[in-house]
Amino acid sequence: MKTVDLALFVDGGAAIVTVDGNRIERHSLERTPEGRIEPTRLWTARVRYCCHLVEAPEAGRIVATDTSGRHFGLCRDTGEILWQTEPVGEGDRGTLLADGTFLFATWNGLLQRLDPRDGSRVREPFRVGSQLRVLHLVPGTDFLTVVRLIPARSDRDPVGEVLCGLDVETFEMRELTDNTFASGMYISPGGSRILCRYIIADPIYEIGRRPSKWVMRDRATGSSLCEHVFAPRPSFSRPVWSPEGRWIAFSSAEAHLFLSADGLVPFARVPGKFPGRPAFHPAGTEICLCRKDDCTIIATAQLSQWPCPGEPA
């Protein structure tokens, strides 16, 4: 686990699956007497351009998805690739539904529902008239949301984003918010809050280095709960909510950054070489800081060792 691009805690946090280039590995996790978590590699599989991982515990599978939208069903215990599908197009991470089936939405508006045991179709793929982002199922419920993109009306207008409820049987969508014109919407684990990210269109800044405003909204009312403006920087990764909805983690060019979800106040900055998207333990007690050469799993209680005075760089 020296270099990790992507990680997913599995088996309730007793193990972790990681991606490094074209290599997928599963590691068991043991806690040392000093309290550190030590990984032990169990198996390795090869999947080119893997960009998403989803655990299907009842099926005994890890569903890996590549950048073409091709899915691979890996045996949880051995890493053997038991099935694979035809590519359907790039998309964000899929989700496991309450009945154990796997749902994937592509950026070009295709919804795909599969049985993770053998990769067979639960129903025929269904195309909607919109681009889709960020599927989210509230744990323990059948409340499923997806972000629908609304095309810009002209070259001078922004692309819109609307959070929708999605019926898994009919694939019908019901709008839950007004058009936010955000450049990213990320619903909280419990489904009550939405983190909206906006790029401030100020012509004095180069494209890609413009300030961004993050606004936390109440999903039911759309009202703003808090907001924070970040200074211009080259890049941000997609934000990741902690399982209990207390923190938000993401990465910039040289560090993993942590905000309080209550006020969007930066409180920790952990430097690292080429940091990737962080992954929380399902209990929220640890986090895997994916990065090059020195990937590490730390206790979230240790984040106070890396305080973030003022605006993170």
Side-chain angles (χ1 to χ4, degrees):
M1 281 186 57
K2 188 175 181 181
T3 294
V4 172
D5 303 319
L6 171 70
L8 175 71
F9 285 94
V10 297
D11 286 353
I16 192 169
V17 178
T18 62
V19 176
D20 173 16
N22 298 326
R23 185 173 66 244
I24 301 176
E25 295 184 340
R26 177 187 169 101
H27 307 259
S28 64
L29 299 175
E30 300 292 337
R31 195 173 298 276
T32 68
E34 297 77 21
R36 299 191 309 274
I37 285 185
E38 293 290 345
T40 300
R41 186 173 59 193
L42 300 175
W43 53 252
T44 300
R46 299 282 178 175
V47 173
R48 296 184 68 189
Y49 311 122
C50 177
C51 57
H52 301 300
L53 297 168
V54 171
E55 181 186 17
E58 293 184 6
R61 303 287 182 267
I62 303 297
V63 180
T65 302
D66 69 13
T67 53
S68 74
R70 187 192 305 271
H71 310 298
F72 301 80
L74 278 63
C75 176
R76 177 186 56 194
D77 299 325
T78 67
E80 180 185 0
I81 299 175
L82 302 176
W83 56 262
Q84 68 182 59
T85 65
E86 293 298 317
V88 292
E90 193 168 6
D92 291 328
R93 181 177 180 267
T95 190
L96 198 73
L97 301 178
D99 66 354
T101 59
F102 171 74
L103 183 67
F104 184 72
T106 69
W107 292 347
N108 62 10
L110 185 76
L111 289 163
Q112 181 188 40
R113 190 174 174 190
L114 304 175
D115 185 334
R117 292 173 298 181
D118 57 11
S120 61
R121 296 175 177 176
V122 175
R123 61 163 295 178
E124 289 300 308
F126 183 83
R127 189 173 297 280
V128 300
S130 307
Q131 297 183 51
L132 302 176
R133 299 287 191 277
V134 195
L135 279 171
H136 176 74
L137 181 71
V138 173
T141 75
D142 58 0
F143 181 47
L144 179 69
T145 63
V146 67
V147 175
R148 180 171 67 89
L149 270 61
I150 300 175
R153 290 172 295 183
S154 73
D155 292 341
R156 292 177 295 178
D157 292 324
V159 173
E161 291 196 351
V162 173
L163 184 73
C164 297
L166 178 63
D167 187 301
V168 297
E169 299 301 332
T170 65
F171 287 157
E172 292 182 354
M173 290 186 290
R174 176 175 58 90
E175 292 187 0
L176 301 175
T177 66
D178 294 330
N179 190 344
T180 63
F181 296 103
S183 61
M185 299 177 68
Y186 311 97
I187 192 165
S188 64
S192 63
R193 293 171 291 170
I194 310 169
L195 176 65
C196 299
R197 186 167 60 181
Y198 301 87
I199 303 300
I200 298 176
D202 191 325
I204 69 172
Y205 297 105
E206 298 177 10
I207 295 176
R209 292 192 62 87
R210 291 176 173 172
S212 61
K213 181 171 73 172
W214 294 25
V215 179
M216 189 70 72
R217 299 189 181 278
D218 181 273
R219 182 186 63 80
T221 66
S223 60
S224 174
L225 302 174
C226 57
E227 62 182 58
H228 185 85
V229 175
F230 287 92
R233 54 176 43 81
S235 63
F236 272 132
S237 72
R238 174 182 163 184
V240 180
W241 285 82
S242 63
E244 76 290 346
R246 179 183 176 189
W247 298 324
I248 294 164
F250 59 101
S251 62
S252 66
E254 297 178 345
H256 286 98
L257 303 155
F258 296 83
L259 310 178
S260 163
D262 289 337
L264 297 181
V265 177
F267 71 89
R269 180 183 186 274
V270 186
K273 187 177 181 180
F274 299 110
R277 188 177 179 214
F280 279 99
H281 187 282
T285 52
E286 273 84 21
I287 187 166
C288 180
L289 300 179
C290 301
R291 51 197 189 190
K292 184 176 177 61
D293 294 336
D294 64 344
C295 175
T296 185
I297 299 174
I298 64 171
T300 50
Q302 295 178 324
L303 290 173
S304 59
Q305 298 179 16
W306 295 275
C308 183
E311 173 72 9

